[in-house]
């Protein structure tokens, strides 16, 4: 009886302690990660002239990151499972930081292509690795809210990173004899290298190894997570995870959501720069960065509130579908806005939709891909890999359509259409999961009935003897 009464107290204490230990640090690492991945969008404003980039060439340079990312995502996550999160995440951060800083010295577009692909290879495994890592520390009931806090680093990275990057480009031009965009790459690559060293000493692979938890806290958390893993019927092998249709369908849903995200991240600076014609004034790069930050700042607030609402209600599917639908509708609406203000309102609504959908979406894989096994590592990596193909498709297709048509309308229509497909796939997934659960429940009842009959027969047999 006393253990039952003590459980809520120890549960709240452990979750709070683990969250304070891990979420701020991992959020900071993701902040730096996303900044190094997308700061090329602001660099484009001056880099294109120096390197002679067309819109298509810039889209290809942005998207090549995700080819390397895709090829090494699953192997990297399996390596994390084998070597441990502390070692492998530190390795990832060290290599991506060095390559991100090396972007400062690209002499031509070919070198830019090569380093962007190498950057993708270096970063592969970081985001899905952290997602897997969080499932090893937090019970399922807390994951959406805490995932929302971790993913908050994504819009915050753009909200703070846009003015920061633009300020470096504008005010540090000529520092070290380098162009402003080159100085930006150099300065923003260094934090990842420093964080890699901290990661090696700061992270703990598993709750049982945490010296910062007392013994009863370790025992409770370990037992709670093992119990959830056994109840979920989680995959124990890589093969089972890779052949599960739910894994691939979730990857396609994530593709649709992040298609909107990457179109926004890579091309919004160019859209805002185009407002200069409307205002008939040449506002600075820093002003451009401040305007770009607005949709991401609003999206950050909405993300936290929406994640809490999902946890409070316990509903997940519609908390992914509704904001994705809002994002899908709002981005083509921006095409018909007659002023920069109304255009930015539409873009901000799209950002809110994307950022609200993301943390709740990442709850869905953990419902059947849990625990520390290689199957869970591979499954989460596949979802992230398929989804991040949009990181290649979105900037390349958007840039190609811009060059082909002379405006951004066709590209934005594609963004809306792809996000709408993601909404339909979420609803299809909902029906498939419900059907799977009904089948599993029926099989369980049959197995339990067979077990009861077998026990009765053995008992009867014993009495005859």
């Amino acid at each position: 009886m006393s253990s039952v009464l003590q459980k809520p107290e120890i549960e709240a204490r452990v979750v709070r302690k683990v969250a304070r230990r891990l979420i701020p640090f991992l959020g900071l690492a993701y902040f730096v990660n996303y900044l190094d991945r997308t700061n090329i969008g602001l660099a484009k404003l001056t880099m294109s002239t120096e390197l002679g980039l067309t819109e298509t060439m810039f889209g290809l340079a942005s998207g090549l990151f995700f080819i390397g990312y895709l090829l090494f995502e699953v192997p990297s996550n399996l390596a994390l499972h084998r070597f441990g999160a502390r070692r492998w995440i530190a390795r990832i951060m060290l290599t991506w930081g060095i390559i991100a800083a090396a972007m400062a010295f690209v002499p031509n577009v070919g070198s830019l292509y090569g380093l962007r692909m190498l950057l993708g290879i270096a970063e592969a495994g970081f985001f899905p690795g952290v997602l897997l890592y969080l499932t090893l520390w937090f019970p399922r009931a807390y994951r959406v809210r805490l995932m929302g806090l971790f993913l908050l680093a994504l819009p915050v990275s753009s909200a703070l990173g846009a003015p920061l990057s633009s300020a470096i480009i504008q005010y540090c031009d000529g520092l070290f004899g380098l162009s402003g965009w080159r100085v930006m790459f150099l300065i923003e690559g260094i934090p990842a290298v420093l964080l890699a060293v901290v990661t090696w000493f700061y992270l703990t692979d598993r709750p049982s190894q945490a010296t910062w938890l007392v013994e009863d806290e370790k025992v409770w958390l370990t037992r709670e997570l093992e119990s959830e893993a056994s109840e979920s019927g989680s995959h124990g092998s890589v093969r089972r995870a890779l052949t599960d249709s739910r894994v691939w369908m979730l990857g396609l849903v994530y593709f649709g959501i992040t298609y909107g995200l990457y179109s926004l991240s890579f091309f919004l600076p160019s859209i805002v720069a185009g407002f200069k014609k409307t205002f008939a004034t040449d506002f600075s790069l820093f002003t451009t960065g401040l305007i770009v930050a607005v949709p991401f700042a609003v999206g950050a607030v909405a993300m936290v509130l929406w994640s809490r609402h999902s946890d409070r209600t316990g509903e997940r599917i519609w908390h992914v579908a509704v904001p994705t639908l809002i994002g899908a509708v709002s981005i083509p609406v921006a095409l018909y806005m007659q002023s920069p203000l109304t255009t930015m309102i539409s873009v901000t609504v799209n950002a809110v939709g994307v950022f609200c959908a993301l943390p709740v979406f990442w709850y869905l894989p953990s419902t059947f891909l849990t625990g520390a096994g290689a199957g869970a590592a591979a499954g989460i990596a596949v979802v992230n890999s398929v989804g991040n193909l949009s990181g290649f498709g979105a900037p390349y297709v958007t840039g190609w359509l811009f060059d082909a048509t002379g405006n951004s309308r066709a590209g934005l229509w594609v963004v809306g259409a792809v996000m709408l497909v993601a909404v339909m796939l979420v609803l299809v997934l909902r029906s498939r999961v419900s059907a799977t659960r009904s089948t599993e429940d029926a099989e369980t009842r049959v197995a339990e009935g067979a077990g009861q009959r077998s026990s009765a027969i053995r008992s009867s047999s014993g009495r005859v003897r």
Side-chain angles (χ1 to χ4, degrees):
M1 185 68 169
S2 60
S3 63
V4 174
L5 293 175
Q6 289 173 4
K7 181 179 177 180
E9 187 276 329
I10 192 172
E11 180 175 344
R13 172 160 45 91
V14 173
V15 171
R16 184 168 57 248
K17 185 180 289 189
V18 174
R20 288 175 178 173
R21 171 84 181 187
L22 299 182
I23 297 299
F25 180 76
L26 293 173
L28 175 62
Y30 190 40
F31 176 99
V32 174
N33 176 260
Y34 196 75
L35 184 64
D36 284 341
R37 181 185 304 188
T38 60
N39 57 9
I40 191 174
L42 280 159
K44 169 181 179 286
L45 300 178
T46 55
M47 177 179 68
S48 291
T49 301
E50 189 170 331
L51 296 183
L53 299 178
T54 65
E55 292 292 327
T56 303
M57 292 165 71
F58 169 75
L60 179 60
S62 302
L64 280 172
F65 168 95
F66 296 93
I67 299 300
Y69 195 86
L70 171 67
L71 293 175
F72 285 85
E73 185 87 327
V74 173
S76 182
N77 229 33
L78 292 176
L80 181 143
H81 166 67
R82 179 176 179 181
F83 298 114
R86 179 177 61 87
R87 294 182 181 87
W88 198 249
I89 291 176
R91 193 285 305 163
I92 290 173
M93 298 182 75
L94 177 65
T95 51
W96 107 52
I98 292 172
I99 295 170
M103 294 273 291
F105 306 103
V106 291
N108 51 50
V109 66
S111 301
L112 179 66
Y113 289 161
L115 281 181
R116 283 291 293 178
M117 179 170 280
L118 285 177
L119 185 63
I121 293 172
E123 284 191 24
F126 174 77
F127 180 71
V130 171
L131 293 181
L132 177 65
Y133 183 66
L134 291 177
T135 66
L136 306 180
W137 285 91
F138 293 106
R140 190 178 297 128
Y142 298 90
R143 285 179 192 159
V144 169
R145 188 182 317 165
L146 293 170
M147 190 69 69
L149 291 176
F150 165 67
L151 290 176
L152 188 61
L154 194 157
V156 169
S157 179
S158 297
L160 297 181
L164 172 65
S165 298
S166 57
I168 294 173
I169 294 172
Q170 181 173 341
Y171 299 115
C172 295
D173 188 38
L175 186 66
F176 311 125
L178 300 173
S179 304
W181 63 271
R182 294 181 184 274
V183 177
M184 181 204 70
F185 281 133
L186 181 62
I187 291 176
E188 293 184 355
I190 293 173
V193 176
L194 300 177
L195 282 172
V197 178
V198 177
T199 298
W200 183 272
F201 297 100
Y202 187 79
L203 288 188
T204 308
D205 286 329
R206 300 175 187 275
S208 60
Q209 301 169 348
T211 57
W212 41 273
L213 291 176
V214 297
E215 193 60 33
D216 66 326
E217 293 171 341
K218 295 181 193 178
V219 171
W220 177 84
L221 184 56
T222 301
R223 288 178 178 173
E224 188 74 12
L225 294 169
E226 287 176 351
S227 175
E228 288 188 354
S230 63
E231 290 173 1
S232 68
S234 60
H235 294 289
S237 70
V238 174
R239 181 179 179 181
R240 288 187 63 189
L242 297 182
T243 55
D244 191 325
S245 61
R246 294 173 297 182
V247 170
W248 293 95
M249 191 171 292
L250 282 171
L252 293 174
V253 172
Y254 192 47
F255 178 95
I257 297 172
T258 55
Y259 196 98
L261 172 64
Y262 287 122
S263 294
L264 200 67
S265 298
F266 289 125
F267 283 94
L268 184 57
S270 298
I271 293 172
V272 172
F275 293 163
K276 296 177 183 180
K277 298 178 182 178
T278 302
F279 290 110
T281 183
D282 189 21
F283 48 80
S284 67
L285 283 169
F286 183 61
T287 302
T288 300
L290 290 175
I291 297 172
V292 167
V294 172
F296 297 99
V298 176
V301 176
M303 172 188 278
V304 173
L305 298 176
W306 193 250
S307 299
R308 290 179 177 176
H309 186 267
S310 178
D311 268 350
R312 190 163 56 248
T313 61
E315 201 286 322
R316 310 302 182 186
I317 294 293
W318 289 107
H319 277 77
V320 176
V322 170
T324 305
L325 178 61
I326 291 172
V329 172
S330 61
I331 200 66
V333 166
L335 301 174
Y336 301 98
M337 297 296 100
Q338 301 301 313
S339 71
L341 176 61
T342 52
T343 299
M344 285 302 294
I345 290 173
S346 297
V347 170
T348 300
V349 172
N350 174 263
V352 168
V354 168
F355 291 125
C356 284
L358 282 174
V360 189
F361 168 83
W362 278 112
Y363 174 90
L364 301 180
S366 69
T367 59
F368 59 93
L369 291 169
T370 59
I380 291 174
V382 166
V383 172
N384 195 57
S385 296
V386 174
N388 273 292
L389 279 174
S390 65
F392 176 79
Y396 183 73
V397 170
T398 304
W400 178 77
L401 288 172
F402 189 96
D403 280 340
T405 63
N407 60 67
S408 59
R409 290 190 172 185
L412 293 180
W413 270 112
V414 172
V415 173
V418 172
M419 292 186 71
L420 188 60
V421 171
V423 175
M424 293 186 287
L425 287 174
V426 169
L427 299 181
V428 171
L429 182 66
R430 176 175 181 263
S431 63
R432 291 193 63 175
V433 169
S434 298
T436 300
R437 285 179 177 171
S438 298
T439 302
E440 290 174 350
D441 290 344
E443 290 174 350
T444 300
R445 287 193 295 270
V446 170
E448 289 175 347
Q452 291 171 356
R453 289 192 297 271
S454 177
S455 296
I457 291 171
R458 287 196 300 270
S459 176
S460 175
S461 175
R463 286 196 298 270
V464 170
R465 288 191 188 96

